[in-house]
Amino acid sequence: MSRICELTGKGRQIGHNVSHANNKTKRVFLPNLQNVTLLSEKLDRSFRFRVSTQGLRSVEHNGGLDNWLLKTADIKLSPRARKVKRELVKAQAAA
């Protein structure tokens, strides 16, 4: 399973372990991903996503999953999140 946040697109980063002698060896920084269930108020459904903790804070800061998806560009979202966003836009247009 890929270590990428489904909402923010945040993935792994590459860096160095640096010893006291200043030797550098490659290492990987992985995002802190959590399996969470987020509730859509407009669709009255819950959705399971694999989200980084920073992404979860951003969703809560923006007022929930609905507001986050409507503000975020499609390129940053995973295919599953894009599908939820399309459903949300349809529901918003019908209302």
Side-chain angles (χ1 to χ4, degrees):
M1 194 178 247
S2 180
R3 300 284 296 178
I4 296 176
C5 176
E6 290 188 286
L7 295 182
T8 61
K10 184 176 189 167
R12 67 182 195 150
Q13 292 183 324
I14 306 296
H16 287 103
N17 282 330
V18 181
S19 70
H20 185 69
N22 206 27
N23 297 328
K24 295 174 184 72
T25 57
K26 290 281 190 178
R27 66 157 297 176
V28 176
F29 296 95
L30 296 175
N32 183 6
L33 296 179
Q34 305 293 324
N35 292 318
V36 294
T37 302
L38 298 172
L39 182 66
S40 171
E41 297 169 359
K42 294 178 183 172
L43 298 176
D44 289 329
R45 285 182 51 199
S46 60
F47 298 95
R48 285 186 60 85
F49 290 109
R50 197 156 186 232
V51 182
S52 65
T53 53
Q54 186 63 43
L56 190 58
R57 288 182 61 192
S58 298
V59 169
E60 291 176 6
H61 178 75
N62 281 303
L65 180 64
D66 297 341
N67 291 338
W68 171 261
L69 289 174
L70 292 174
K71 287 182 180 180
T72 306
D74 286 347
I75 293 173
K76 293 184 180 180
L77 298 173
S78 70
R80 285 182 49 221
R82 278 189 223 133
K83 185 177 179 183
V84 174
K85 183 177 179 178
R86 280 194 301 269
E87 290 180 30
L88 193 60
V89 170
K90 279 184 187 176
Q92 194 176 25

